[in-house]
Amino acid sequence: MKFASTRLVVSDIKRMVAFYELVTGYRADWLAPVFAEIVTPGAAVAIGSAETVAMFREGSAEPRANKTAILEFMVSDVDAEFARLKDQVEVVHEPKDLPWGNRTVQFSDPEGTRVALYTPVTDAARRRFSDR
């Protein structure tokens, strides 16, 4: 099994795609007017408008309802990414070191999902991520 993507169901697909293009630096592939993917080296962020929910099961997903997930992207320099993005996105917290060896910053996307960028900074953390 291979983890392929995380899909966000959103109310404003154009705004959300623009946010994730800004944060990741990758352009979206629009596969339909109601669905786009941003493919990164590790996985993809799939973004579907609320209209797509009915294609699966009505009411099974809801825009702006996430309070449990944080989308995380490993970057080479958290502080540089923070400097690049801080005036363009909503900051949840500024860069800080975490006890498991990552330096991280967190933002909120336009519909409230948390997005973290992190860099492994300890030797143990760098070893843990060396083959990912």
Side-chain angles (χ1 to χ4, degrees):
M1 181 183 303
K2 180 180 177 182
F3 183 73
S5 71
T6 297
R7 183 179 309 180
L8 302 173
V9 173
V10 304
S11 60
D12 186 341
I13 192 167
K14 289 180 182 178
R15 185 171 179 213
M16 290 290 279
V17 167
F19 171 87
Y20 283 97
E21 286 179 331
L22 172 68
V23 169
T24 66
Y26 289 91
R27 301 289 300 160
D29 294 325
W30 285 88
L31 305 176
V34 296
F35 187 81
E37 287 183 326
I38 297 176
V39 180
T40 72
V45 177
I47 303 169
S49 73
E51 298 168 63
T52 63
V53 175
M55 295 176 194
F56 303 105
R57 182 170 161 234
E58 193 67 46
S60 63
E62 178 183 336
R64 301 180 178 268
N66 178 31
K67 297 290 184 189
T68 61
I70 300 170
L71 300 183
E72 295 183 309
F73 297 90
M74 187 167 51
V75 298
S76 61
D77 186 340
V78 159
D79 295 292
E81 293 297 321
F82 175 71
R84 179 177 72 88
L85 295 168
K86 68 180 180 174
D87 297 326
Q88 301 177 70
V89 299
E90 179 186 337
V91 176
V92 174
H93 71 74
E94 295 187 3
K96 65 170 83 173
D97 294 337
L98 298 176
W100 48 90
N102 293 340
R103 183 160 176 77
T104 186
V105 64
Q106 211 173 92
F107 305 108
S108 181
D109 77 16
E111 296 196 6
T113 299
R114 299 303 188 235
V115 177
L117 307 181
Y118 72 93
T119 301
V121 293
T122 65
D123 289 340
R126 284 191 285 272
R127 280 192 305 275
R128 191 171 63 249
F129 289 103
S130 66
D131 63 346
R132 293 190 199 180

